[in-house]
Amino acid sequence: MKTNNLGYPRIGEKRELKKSTEAYWKGELPAADLLAAVKAIRRANWERQRNAGIDLIPSNDFSFYDQMLDMSCLLGAVPARFEWSGSQVDLDLLFRIARGTRGGKGASSTASEMTKWFDTNYHYIVPELSSGTAFRIAGTKVFDEFKEALELGIRTKPVLIGPVTYLSLSKMTDAGASAASCLDLLPKVLPVYIEILKRLQDLGAEWVQLDEPIAVLDLSPAQKQGLAKAYAEIRQAVPKLKILLASYFGDLRDNLADFMKLPVDAFHVDAVRAGNELDAVVAALPVDKILSVGIIDGRNIWKNNLAQSIKRLESVRGKIGADRLWIAPSCSLIHSPVTLRNEVRLNGEIKDWLAFAEEKLSEVSTVAAALSGKDVAAALSANHASCEARSKSPRIHNPKVKARCAAVRPEDIRRQSVFSVRDEKQRQKFCLPDFPTTTIGSFPQTAEVRSTRAKLKKGEMSQADYDSFIAIQVQDAVRRQEAWDIDVLVHGEFERNDMVEYFGEQLSGFAFTENGWVQSYGSRYVKPPFIFGDVERPNPMTVRWSQYAQSLTKRHMKGMLTGPVTVLQWSFVRDDQPRSETTKQIALALRDEVNDLEAAGIHVIQIDEPAVREGLPLRRTDWAAYLRWAVDAFRLSSSGVADDTQIHTHMCYCEFNDIIDSIAELDADVISIETSRSNMELLGAFVSFKYPNQIGPGVYDIHSPRVPATDEMVNLLHKAQTVLPRRNLWVNPDCGLKTRTWDEVDPALKNLVAAAKELRHSGAR
Ligand code: GLN
Ligand code: ZN
C-alpha cells in the first residue's frame, strides 16, 4: 500500500523562508543566498518525507509566494502593466506582481489582487487574464525542482494547479467581461499545460498531481464541461504520463459521478471533510483507477485516531484491493504548522494530543504500514493512549460550561425590545449629534508599544510598569480624541497584541504554540491559538482598561470585544464537538464580558465580527445552517444588556449581497463597515434590503497611508445619505488604525470630524 503526500509546508521550521525573503526584499541578502536558502528548505522537506516513508513525494509545492501566482508565471500570464518583455518570468517580476512596485515605475504597477484560497486563511494572487493573454511556458521552476530532487535520488510527483481551477479562480480584465468568461480561455491554456506535462514526462516524471479543488464547489455547466474537455485532451496528448487528480476541502456531492469519470489514473479525495462520501466514492471508482484517501486532517492540528482510520480503510481495501489504495493527508500540509519538535513550552499533556505536518507524515505511514500487515503495535498503542487521554481529560470537559450551553433559552438570544424601541431610548440617553463620529477601536501600535510588550513577554519589565505604560497610552488617546471632538471614544487597544490572541489568552480552553506558524500570504504567517477544551471566562478580560478610559472623560467610551465567530474562525478548533457548540461557549463567555462592561458603566459596546463572511461554507446549500448558528452566537453574546446599552458591530468588508438578511439579524444597534475604497457603491446591499439599524460606512481608507481630505469624506457621506436615512448614519474610518502612524491618523481624524460637522449643518432633516 502506497503513501501519498499532496504538499508540504515551505516556510521552514524556523520561518527560514520569511526571513530570507524579507532580507532579500530589503536588499540585505543577495539573490544567490536566497536561492540557496530555499534550496535547503526543499531538500530538508523531501528528505523528511522520504525518511517518513512517503512514496509519492510532491515537488513544485514550494513557492516564494503562492501556487496560483507560480502557475501564472509558468503560463506567462503577466498583467500588461508590468511591461514584461516576454521571455522568462524572473523572481523579481513575480514579487512585483505580488507586491506592486513602490516608487520608480509609479502607479502603473500596483500589485495584483489577493484573495483567500477556498475556505482557508491562505491567500493567492488572483491571475489577471484577458482575451489577449498569450499563454506560453515562461518559467522553469516546476522542471528545475523536479531535477533538483532527482539529483538527491528522489523521483517526485510534480504538483500543478489544474487548468479548470486555475481559470475559475482568475479574473478577466477585458471591459465588460464576466468572471465566468475566464473559462473561454481553456482552449488557449490547454496546449501549454500539455507542453508542460510532456516536458515533465521527458525529464522522467512518472506521476503528476493536478489539483482541481473546484470539484468541491457548486459547478456551472461550463466548469463541468471544462473538466471533461481538459482531461480528455490531456489524456490523449500524454497517454503514458500518470495523472493524479486531486480534490480537497469538501465533498464532491453532485459532481462525484462526473469527476470519477475523468480519464486520469488516480483520484484523491478528502476523507476528513467528506468522510460520509467515502463509500460512494469507492463505489464510483472505475476498476482500473487508484484512490488516494486523504484520511489525516491537513487543516487541523489534532492527532489522528489511527485505529478508527485503519478500520475505515480496511473496508475500502476490502472493496478495491491494497494496490489501488493510497493513504494520504486530506489536503496539502501547508495549512498545518510545521513540526511539534520545537514546542518546548507547551504543556506536555496537551502537546501529546497534537500532530503538525511532520507528525502527520508519520501518521500516514503508520496507517499504511498497519494496513500492509506490518507490526506497528507500539505506535498504535501510543496513539490509542493519547486519544483516550484527550477524550477523557478534565482539561477538556467542564460540566458547568456544558450545562450552561444546554440551558440557553430563546429569550437569551433576543434583546429586551425591538430596535425601534431601543433606538429611541438610546437617543435620549446618549444625546449624540447627527452623524456621530467614532473609530473602530485600535490606535497606532507604535514601535514603542510593540517593544514594550516584547519586554514584558521576555520578563524584562514588570507587569506594573507595563500597565503604567499602557495607562499613559490610553490617556494620550483619550486626550487626542477629545481634541479632535470625536463623539464616542475608544481606549485604543494598546494592550492587545492581536484581536483573537488577547481573548484566547484569558479564556480557559485555549492554548498557544511558540512556532505553530502557517502561511497566510507571501511572507505573512499567522500563529492561530487552538481551542482544545470547553471555553470559560474565569475573569473579566477588558473591563479594567475600558473602565479606566471612561474615568478619563465625560464622553461615552466604547468597550471593544472580538465576536464569537471571529474568535472561532481565526483559531484551530477542537474536532470532538460541532463548531457551532464551541462558538456557543465562546459566545457565553463574551456575554458575561458584555454584561460586566455594562455594569461597569460602559454603555456602548462593540463586538467585532470581521470573520463572519469568510466562515461561509463552500456550498450554498450549507450556508443557511451556518448563518443560523453564527447569528445566534452573536446575539447570545450581545443580548444580555438593557435596551439603552448600545451594541455596535464591525466588519471589514462590504460584500454583503448574499448574506445581508443575516447581517440584519445580528440586530446590532450600529454596524460599521468598509466602504471608502468602493466609493460607497458597496452600500447597495444595505439599500435594496432597507437595512433597519444604524450604520457607519467607512469614509477613511485605513489601508493606505494617504490622509483623506475633508471634502472627499463629505462627498462620500453625501452619497451615503442619498441612499440611507440620514438619522441612521455614523461617521467612522473603514477599520482599526493600528497599522497607521499618529502622523497620518491625526490629520485624517481631524478631517473626518470636520466632514461630519459639515454634514450636520448642511440640509435639514
Ligand atoms: N477593533 C479592531 C481594531 O480596531 C477591529 C479590527 C478588525 O476589524 N479586523 O483593530
Ligand atoms: Zn475591520
Side-chain angles (χ1 to χ4, degrees):
M1 191 150 333
K2 288 204 164 127
T3 51
N4 173 35
N5 188 28
L6 274 60
Y8 198 73
R10 57 244 184 172
I11 62 178
E13 70 181 67
K14 300 254 165 78
R15 289 183 290 159
E16 290 84 349
L17 177 60
K18 176 190 183 71
K19 289 169 192 163
S20 43
T21 308
E22 289 181 351
Y24 175 73
W25 288 341
K26 282 192 209 133
E28 290 163 5
L29 190 78
D33 293 7
L34 173 64
L35 296 179
V38 300
K39 195 169 170 185
I41 295 176
R42 289 193 292 262
R43 177 179 185 149
N45 285 355
W46 286 324
E47 292 181 342
R48 176 148 291 128
Q49 293 174 80
R50 181 180 59 190
N51 297 342
I54 302 298
D55 298 306
L56 287 109
I57 297 174
S59 61
N60 202 41
D61 54 337
F62 172 80
S63 180
F64 276 106
Y65 221 88
D66 77 75
Q67 283 132 302
M68 283 292 286
L69 178 57
D70 288 347
M71 207 62 229
S72 295
C73 293
L74 174 59
L75 296 169
V78 178
R81 66 182 175 283
F82 294 98
E83 297 174 348
W84 176 48
S85 64
S87 54
Q88 294 274 299
V89 176
D90 63 18
L91 188 55
D92 290 329
L93 177 54
L94 180 145
F95 286 144
R96 284 207 297 281
I97 301 171
R99 308 173 69 227
T101 40
R102 273 165 233 170
K105 288 202 165 180
S108 64
S109 40
T110 48
S112 282
E113 200 180 293
M114 172 172 84
T115 196
K116 284 189 193 242
W117 175 244
F118 294 81
D119 60 351
T120 72
N121 192 27
Y122 165 72
H123 300 68
Y124 67 91
I125 299 291
V126 180
E128 293 173 36
L129 309 179
S130 74
S131 50
T133 303
F135 297 106
R136 60 203 172 280
I137 297 183
T140 57
K141 177 181 176 291
V142 61
F143 312 118
D144 296 344
E145 289 177 16
F146 180 78
K147 287 189 269 184
E148 194 179 300
L150 206 54
E151 278 164 26
L152 298 167
I154 299 172
R155 186 177 305 269
T156 54
K157 170 197 61 174
V159 181
L160 296 165
I161 309 269
V164 183
T165 293
Y166 176 77
L167 293 178
S168 297
L169 302 184
S170 297
K171 71 174 195 190
M172 281 300 255
T173 57
D174 298 308
S178 72
S181 63
C182 284
L183 270 186
D184 298 344
L185 300 178
L186 191 59
K188 281 173 81 180
V189 81
L190 265 181
V192 188
Y193 266 89
I194 287 168
E195 186 65 32
I196 295 165
L197 295 172
K198 280 186 175 156
R199 274 207 216 171
L200 287 169
Q201 186 172 29
D202 292 344
L203 289 171
E206 188 191 350
W207 281 96
V208 171
Q209 172 184 323
L210 290 167
D211 286 0
E212 292 284 10
I214 54 143
V216 307
L217 305 183
D218 299 316
L219 294 183
S220 66
Q223 286 171 313
K224 289 185 186 170
Q225 283 155 21
L227 283 168
K229 175 180 159 64
Y231 289 91
E233 284 194 21
I234 288 173
R235 176 78 310 158
Q236 208 184 7
V238 277
K240 295 222 180 65
L241 182 67
K242 293 190 179 145
I243 307 269
L244 164 66
L245 189 60
S247 72
Y248 41 78
F249 297 154
D251 45 12
L252 295 158
R253 288 187 209 184
D254 50 324
N255 303 326
L256 188 142
D258 288 337
F259 189 74
M260 303 301 288
K261 274 189 211 128
L262 295 173
V264 295
D265 303 273
F267 297 98
H268 173 86
V269 294
D270 183 334
V272 175
R273 287 277 181 97
N276 298 335
E277 205 180 65
L278 190 54
D279 286 341
V281 167
V282 168
L285 184 75
V287 287
D288 54 338
K289 311 267 152 102
I290 290 168
L291 187 65
S292 166
V293 179
I295 195 89
I296 306 295
D297 195 349
R299 295 278 302 266
N300 214 331
I301 53 167
W302 307 106
K303 252 183 199 169
N304 185 270
N305 185 324
L306 297 181
Q308 262 173 30
S309 296
I310 291 165
K311 203 164 150 223
R312 285 175 70 201
L313 290 168
E314 270 167 353
S315 121
V316 177
R317 183 188 54 187
K319 291 177 193 147
I320 66 174
D323 50 342
R324 288 169 62 211
L325 174 61
W326 293 352
I327 314 299
S330 60
C331 60
S332 166
L333 294 174
I334 65 168
H335 307 294
S336 154
V338 184
T339 173
L340 273 173
R341 252 180 309 121
N342 305 320
E343 298 302 324
V344 291
R345 268 189 255 152
L346 197 57
N347 168 285
E349 185 191 348
I350 295 177
K351 188 175 165 183
D352 184 51
W353 304 338
L354 307 181
F356 293 175
E358 186 177 338
E359 293 76 28
K360 288 175 193 293
L361 290 178
S362 51
E363 293 187 332
V364 167
S365 51
T366 305
V367 168
L371 286 162
S372 310
K374 298 203 182 100
D375 180 16
V376 283
L380 292 185
S381 75
N383 176 267
H384 178 73
S386 307
C387 294
E388 281 291 290
R390 182 179 161 210
S391 70
K392 300 207 175 103
S393 172
R395 285 178 188 279
I396 290 185
H397 304 287
N398 182 336
K400 219 166 77 210
V401 173
K402 289 196 163 77
R404 195 174 168 206
C405 269
V408 168
R409 301 156 305 168
E411 56 265 41
D412 296 333
I413 58 169
R414 241 185 354 245
R415 295 287 296 272
Q416 285 165 15
S417 307
V418 295
F419 172 72
S420 55
V421 173
R422 303 193 310 261
D423 191 34
E424 272 323 304
K425 291 187 187 174
Q426 290 169 19
R427 282 176 197 272
Q428 273 171 29
K429 171 168 165 181
F430 297 119
C431 298
L432 294 169
D434 278 354
F435 296 96
T437 51
T438 191
T439 60
I440 308 304
S442 57
F443 277 124
Q445 288 263 329
T446 57
E448 195 192 8
V449 170
R450 280 180 280 121
S451 70
T452 308
R453 187 178 310 118
K455 274 193 205 148
L456 173 77
K457 289 225 158 152
K458 281 192 218 134
E460 291 165 13
M461 187 182 226
S462 71
Q463 185 69 45
D465 287 347
Y466 177 75
D467 290 348
S468 321
F469 171 81
I470 297 291
I472 293 168
Q473 310 307 306
V474 175
Q475 288 162 24
D476 178 55
V478 170
R479 212 179 18 99
R480 286 178 191 259
Q481 293 172 89
E482 287 186 332
W484 298 325
D485 202 10
I486 302 260
D487 300 304
V488 174
L489 310 197
V490 297
H491 75 284
E493 301 182 22
F494 303 105
E495 76 288 9
R496 303 186 190 176
N497 33 0
D498 171 274
M499 64 186 287
V500 171
E501 198 172 321
Y502 182 74
F503 291 91
E505 279 173 346
Q506 302 188 71
L507 292 165
S508 61
F510 280 76
F512 296 83
T513 64
E514 286 162 78
N515 298 289
W517 299 98
V518 288
Q519 189 177 21
S520 174
Y521 65 90
S523 71
R524 281 291 193 100
Y525 309 159
V526 293
K527 191 156 67 67
F530 62 96
I531 308 174
F532 63 86
D534 291 338
V535 176
E536 200 177 28
R537 187 200 69 145
N539 295 298
M541 305 181 283
T542 65
V543 173
R544 177 188 172 186
W545 287 120
S546 290
Q547 202 171 21
Y548 174 68
Q550 181 66 83
S551 77
L552 301 173
T553 180
K554 290 203 167 59
R555 297 177 188 227
H556 303 289
M557 182 60 58
K558 181 161 67 166
M560 207 57 58
L561 303 173
T562 303
V565 180
T566 299
V567 171
L568 181 94
Q569 198 63 30
W570 292 349
S571 304
F572 284 116
V573 180
R574 57 192 290 193
D575 59 354
D576 58 346
Q577 69 181 21
R579 288 167 75 81
S580 54
E581 198 59 24
T582 304
T583 314
K584 200 173 184 183
Q585 295 181 353
I586 303 168
L588 282 170
L590 288 166
R591 180 183 177 95
D592 294 344
E593 187 71 15
V594 170
N595 295 351
D596 282 352
L597 281 168
E598 182 187 52
I602 307 298
H603 294 167
V604 182
I605 301 169
Q606 178 171 312
I607 306 172
D608 292 325
E609 279 291 27
V612 164
R613 194 168 168 277
E614 70 184 56
L616 278 177
L618 293 171
R619 296 281 195 146
R620 246 176 204 270
T621 46
D622 300 337
W623 284 15
Y626 160 78
L627 287 167
R628 183 72 267 141
W629 62 253
V631 167
D632 286 351
F634 181 90
R635 294 172 62 123
L636 182 57
S637 64
S638 59
S639 294
V641 291
D643 280 348
D644 61 358
T645 292
Q646 188 170 64
I647 298 289
H648 289 223
T649 189
H650 165 71
M651 301 183 175
C652 336
Y653 50 85
C654 190
E655 292 113 46
F656 289 114
N657 294 309
D658 298 324
I659 57 165
I660 182 73
D661 32 1
S662 298
I663 300 300
E665 268 193 82
L666 296 176
D667 201 23
D669 298 306
V670 183
I671 182 172
S672 63
I673 55 174
E674 178 171 324
T675 32
S676 72
R677 263 181 300 182
S678 78
N679 204 11
M680 296 285 152
E681 252 124 58
L682 294 173
L683 274 180
F686 286 83
V687 179
S688 44
F689 179 78
K690 293 217 186 318
Y691 184 74
N693 302 9
Q694 300 193 47
I695 177 167
V699 290
Y700 163 18
D701 174 11
I702 63 92
H703 298 285
S704 162
R706 232 182 114 252
V707 172
T710 303
D711 282 356
E712 287 171 41
M713 293 190 271
V714 166
N715 284 338
L716 289 174
L717 289 166
H718 273 305
K719 266 196 158 172
Q721 75 166 344
T722 61
V723 290
L724 288 164
R726 179 182 163 99
R727 72 192 299 266
N728 284 356
L729 282 171
W730 283 65
V731 181
N732 49 257
D734 268 343
C735 192
L737 298 162
K738 69 175 168 203
T739 57
R740 301 266 60 93
T741 64
W742 284 113
D743 285 348
E744 294 155 357
V745 166
D746 185 73
L749 290 184
K750 273 186 193 139
N751 292 352
L752 180 139
V753 172
K757 288 183 176 167
E758 202 170 319
L759 263 288
R760 280 171 207 161
H761 298 132
S762 76
R765 290 215 194 159

